Amino acid sequence: MRVMVMVKATDDSEKGIMPSTELFEQMGKFNEELVEAGIMLSGDGLKPSRLGKRVAFDGSSRRVIDGPFAETRELVAGYWIWEVKDMAEAVEWVKRCPNPMPGPSEIEIRPFYEMADFAEIASPEGQASHDRAGEGLAARDGNQG
């Protein structure tokens, strides 16, 4: 089961305050443990929302909204993509994580949809399109490095 593990933003992360050297090292060690366990597929930190954009959709119209965005607690400051056997395993790994922020913080875990979840609605054409996109990503990722 693949999950996205999201580190929720805080006032400090939205101000662009960098982690301490100690926290940076602790998170590096935690990431190494995740990789060695075969859990971590990818992960990164995100810059503050003032540097981001949102695109709002309404039918065929598009509207670009410049950051920063309100409701800091609803923003994401960083993420991992993990492959775990179940949600319980993901929770156990998150509980081992160093607190990613200097003060109170939250980490959210959300499972990804898998193609099997779309079995009732996937047309052969839609399935083929998604398969080609996946193959293209795999080929691209295999050629990096």
Side-chain angles (χ1 to χ4, degrees), residues 2-3 11 24 27 42 45 47-48 77-78 81 84-86 88 114:
R2 285 181 316 129
V3 295
D11 288 337
F24 185 76
M27 291 302 286
S42 67
K47 290 186 177 183
I81 307 294
V84 292
K85 66 180 178 223
D86 54 28
E114 302 295 341

Side-chain angles (χ1 to χ4, degrees), residues 5-122:
V5 180
M6 296 170 277
V7 176
K8 301 307 271 285
T10 64
D11 288 337
D12 285 345
S13 69
E14 277 296 289
K15 289 175 186 168
I17 296 173
M18 299 301 277
S20 67
T21 299
E22 180 182 12
L23 177 56
F24 185 76
E25 290 171 359
Q26 290 173 348
M27 291 302 286
K29 288 178 183 174
F30 181 66
N31 286 338
E32 283 181 321
E33 290 176 29
L34 291 166
V35 169
E36 288 170 9
I39 301 292
M40 184 173 164
L41 303 177
S42 67
D44 268 307
L46 300 172
K47 290 186 177 183
S49 71
R50 73 175 180 275
L51 302 172
K53 306 245 185 228
R54 287 183 177 167
V55 178
F57 292 74
D58 187 3
S60 62
S61 71
R62 307 292 185 265
R63 184 172 51 93
V64 177
I65 305 163
D66 295 327
F69 306 119
E71 299 299 328
T72 298
R73 70 180 189 275
E74 300 299 324
L75 300 174
V76 176
Y79 73 94
W80 290 279
I81 307 294
W82 292 352
E83 181 75 41
V84 292
K85 66 180 178 223
D86 54 28
M87 188 60 83
E89 182 181 27
V91 168
E92 288 306 312
W93 275 101
V94 168
K95 288 166 63 176
R96 293 175 55 187
C97 181
N99 183 352
M101 300 291 174
S105 66
E106 289 185 2
I107 293 179
E108 180 178 341
I109 308 166
R110 303 263 303 271
F112 280 93
Y113 278 109
E114 302 295 341
M115 284 309 295
D117 296 317
F118 298 101
E120 290 185 23
I121 65 160

